[in-house]
Amino acid sequence: MKYDADTSLNNLMSTSPITIHSWPRAILHLDADAFFASCEQAVHPELRGKPVITGKERGIVAAASYEAKARGVQRGMSLSEIRKICPDIIVVSSDYETYSLFSLRMFEILRRFSPDVEEYSIDEAFVDLTGLRRSFHGPYGVIAQKMQEAVETELGITVSVGVSLSKVLAKIASKHNKPHGLTLMPGKEIHHYLEKLPVEKVWGIGPNTTAFLKKLGITTALQFVRKDEEFICRHFSKPYYDIWQELNGISVYPVVTESKGSYQSISKARTFTPPSGDEIFVFAQLSRNLENACAKARRHKLMAGRLIVFLRTQEFKDTGVEMKLTRPTAFPSDLFGPLREGFYRLYRTGRFYRQTGVVLADLKAEGRIQYSLFDDQAEIEKAVKVYSAVDQLSEKFGKYTVHHAASLPTKRQVQHEGDRENIPKRKDNLFKGENNRQRLGLPVIQVKV
DNA sequence: TCTGGGGTCCTAGGACCC
DNA sequence: TCTGGGGTCCTAGGACCC
């Protein structure tokens, strides 16, 4: 039977004996379990089965292994709290390069099954499976299972998988059973899942909308889905109408296959404790944000047309200013003027600040920039030379080898890179790791001296 | 959820133009 | 000087995500 795009879940979910095509679309969502911690356990076998957390460099939990979660470790806990409930906790610094390599491998594996893979985040993917049953000689559930198996055996981590009619539903499915879950949610079973699902668990519905929904008497996903179109349009804007459709089994979010080529914006922010009322110090933080953001922009061959500066006070109040630049640039030397101007528009003596940040927006590709007649070409070329030297030095000797004097008063913090607590620093341990990297096809990472 | 860092998209309202 | 109607662009700000 041909699927009618207007058929809503109200029809799909009816107990009618008529068999409608149960998979108008088959969207898979894959979510790696405790990804960072799992990568650590895959690379360091001696960590397997043990409570591990990552995020040592910042002193907060970035990810906790399931063993740690089982012991009550949660995000947002301080390290001392964690040690109290779990004295044998293993704390490691985040190693984003390794996680990115695992991520890359994960997407490669998925693309063996379908070309329609969306790299949604470092540890999540959407895959459009629609129409693949023929070539795999099996139902979607079996294809999904094969994908899960491939990722798990080849990478040594576990992942949770959900398959349903839309991205929003697939996300609900993958979350339903974690870790190492595989949940199939065909049209006629969806309402079972939505019935017990608090509406705030739906992807795209945050605290604000949840509060609003509550006023309308809606607390579960099923209650939301069962409202008619007219009701939704009267009370909500487009994003929520889209979610409503997705929940109804009508796929409106495309699986975006193109890898994200470019950024809309680049931002760098930093929180410091204790909060500071020292003008020089706060500006230095901002200056450092700017240098970092610019370096990233240059790395991606982008230039900014707008600069946004923001400060967060002790009381978590944010203020910001936005500045249009006379010409696009990714050089701090061009931007210190605007930065200073923005800073003094925001900064109030006597206030204490806990965070500074910078956003580079209106990004344009380096090559496509038109300079005006009034731009000083010689100045620009000089800056190009200076900063390409800076970038080379940073690559060779580390991130903050060279920087502007204004960034100096941030009082450099001790770098924790590479030191890992509770892991004996023995040679064979290191080799174990390297063997594993090779087994996984990861390049051996050079140790900085 | 007592709060880290990095992103995206949508909407309302004003400015400006015919 | 006042008055319509309609379009586009920009910006601020909100809301949400991992």
Side-chain angles (χ1 to χ4, degrees):
Chain A
M1 175 180 175
K2 202 172 157 289
Y3 180 71
D4 173 1
D6 286 324
T7 308
S8 79
L9 193 61
N10 296 320
N11 284 332
L12 292 177
M13 292 193 308
S14 72
T15 47
S16 141
I18 302 166
T19 326
I20 6 179
H21 193 322
S22 44
W23 294 101
R25 294 285 299 279
I27 309 292
L28 174 144
H29 180 247
L30 179 145
D31 192 348
D33 305 316
F35 184 59
F36 294 177
S38 300
C39 292
E40 294 291 345
Q41 290 174 321
V43 177
H44 302 277
E46 69 278 11
L47 299 183
R48 289 187 197 156
K50 295 186 180 159
V52 178
I53 57 174
T54 72
K56 188 180 183 187
E57 27 4 287
R58 283 188 292 145
I60 61 157
V61 184
S65 73
Y66 275 83
E67 296 83 358
K69 284 181 188 170
R71 306 273 292 273
V73 173
Q74 282 169 13
R75 269 176 84 108
M77 286 172 112
S78 72
L79 292 186
S80 56
E81 264 178 292
I82 292 170
R83 290 219 171 79
K84 249 177 247 164
I85 57 167
C86 187
D88 54 335
I89 190 80
I90 298 167
V91 187
V92 303
S93 299
S94 303
D95 174 6
Y96 289 95
E97 287 187 28
T98 297
Y99 311 151
S100 302
L101 290 167
F102 270 82
S103 181
L104 211 80
R105 291 285 320 275
M106 187 172 89
F107 296 125
E108 278 170 10
I109 293 166
L110 298 180
R111 271 191 281 268
R112 298 208 301 253
F113 293 83
S114 165
D116 300 323
V117 173
E118 175 176 341
E119 303 182 7
Y120 180 70
S121 75
I122 193 165
D123 67 337
E124 280 181 52
F126 288 101
V127 188
D128 193 341
L129 301 180
T130 314
L132 286 182
R133 282 179 293 195
R134 221 168 280 280
S135 43
F136 282 92
H137 307 293
Y140 290 126
V142 173
I143 301 172
Q145 201 182 339
K146 280 185 182 157
M147 293 170 87
Q148 184 183 35
E149 253 172 46
V151 173
E152 293 187 340
T153 56
E154 290 177 44
L155 296 185
I157 62 174
T158 69
V159 296
S160 295
V161 176
V163 183
S164 193
L165 309 189
S166 67
K167 287 169 90 170
V168 170
L169 289 170
K171 267 208 114 163
I172 291 169
S174 71
K175 228 188 297 187
H176 181 255
N177 185 10
K178 252 178 139 352
H180 182 58
L182 174 58
T183 306
L184 234 65
M185 251 170 56
K188 45 187 182 306
E189 289 174 24
I190 292 168
H191 67 290
H192 292 305
Y193 295 88
L194 301 190
E195 204 172 359
K196 282 164 259 164
L197 192 72
V199 77
E200 66 266 30
K201 300 278 184 192
V202 174
W203 184 35
I205 295 184
N208 256 287
T209 310
T210 303
F212 179 58
L213 284 163
K214 201 170 176 184
K215 283 199 183 133
L216 296 170
I218 297 167
T219 55
T220 71
L222 189 63
Q223 286 169 340
F224 181 61
V225 166
R226 284 274 160 89
K227 292 291 175 191
D228 60 37
E229 187 166 0
E230 191 272 328
F231 177 90
I232 299 296
C233 292
R234 190 155 33 112
H235 292 286
F236 298 93
S237 57
K238 182 175 178 291
Y240 303 95
Y241 177 65
D242 288 348
I243 291 170
W244 178 81
Q245 292 206 87
E246 285 262 315
L247 283 170
N248 268 299
I250 300 162
S251 171
V252 292
Y253 293 158
V255 173
V256 182
T257 308
E258 312 91 57
S259 62
K260 199 172 68 99
S262 196
Y263 290 93
Q264 300 290 324
S265 68
I266 289 173
S267 64
K268 287 286 170 187
R270 192 175 201 83
T271 302
F272 32 89
T273 40
S276 168
D278 178 353
E279 185 181 318
I280 305 288
F281 175 84
V282 177
F283 185 76
Q285 295 290 346
L286 212 47
S287 155
R288 189 165 137 170
N289 296 148
L290 180 70
E291 292 199 69
N292 292 163
C294 285
K296 183 167 177 183
R298 292 197 299 275
R299 218 165 36 242
H300 294 276
K301 306 221 179 306
L302 293 168
M303 300 194 135
R306 273 185 307 156
L307 171 70
I308 296 146
V309 179
F310 62 89
L311 301 177
R312 174 175 288 175
T313 68
Q314 201 170 16
E315 299 81 25
F316 283 90
K317 251 187 95 129
D318 291 333
T319 50
V321 274
E322 200 165 325
M323 281 156 289
K324 203 156 189 169
L325 306 173
T326 48
R327 89 180 136 78
T329 178
F331 302 135
S333 55
D334 290 328
L335 293 170
F336 274 118
L339 186 76
R340 206 171 284 280
E341 196 190 316
F343 173 71
Y344 283 111
R345 241 189 273 174
L346 301 174
Y347 184 81
R348 299 281 172 272
T349 32
R351 287 259 168 80
F352 279 72
Y353 296 92
R354 64 157 49 223
Q355 186 188 55
T356 61
V358 151
V359 184
L360 302 180
D362 272 6
L363 297 176
K364 295 171 185 73
E366 211 172 59
R368 303 271 322 143
I369 309 263
Q370 301 278 328
Y371 292 107
S372 87
L373 285 173
F374 305 105
D375 291 329
D376 185 339
Q377 280 300 327
E379 266 314 297
I380 295 172
E381 272 158 35
K382 205 167 89 188
V384 170
K385 277 189 191 145
V386 169
Y387 285 105
S388 68
V390 169
D391 292 339
Q392 278 176 31
L393 286 169
S394 306
E395 192 168 326
K396 228 174 174 167
F397 301 110
K399 219 170 170 189
Y400 302 110
T401 310
V402 191
H403 55 77
H404 285 263
S407 308
L408 201 56
T410 49
K411 273 198 271 165
R412 289 273 306 283
Q413 288 158 358
V414 191
Q415 306 233 330
H416 289 291
E417 264 175 65
D419 66 353
R420 315 177 92 83
E421 210 171 86
N422 290 0
I423 303 174
K425 290 196 171 65
R426 289 181 332 213
K427 269 265 162 74
D428 57 359
N429 180 26
L430 186 67
F431 285 133
K432 248 189 222 165
E434 289 197 4
N435 285 338
N436 253 295
R437 285 177 191 282
Q438 275 154 12
R439 183 174 65 77
L440 296 163
L442 305 173
V444 177
I445 290 164
Q446 291 285 322
V447 181
K448 245 184 254 159
V449 195

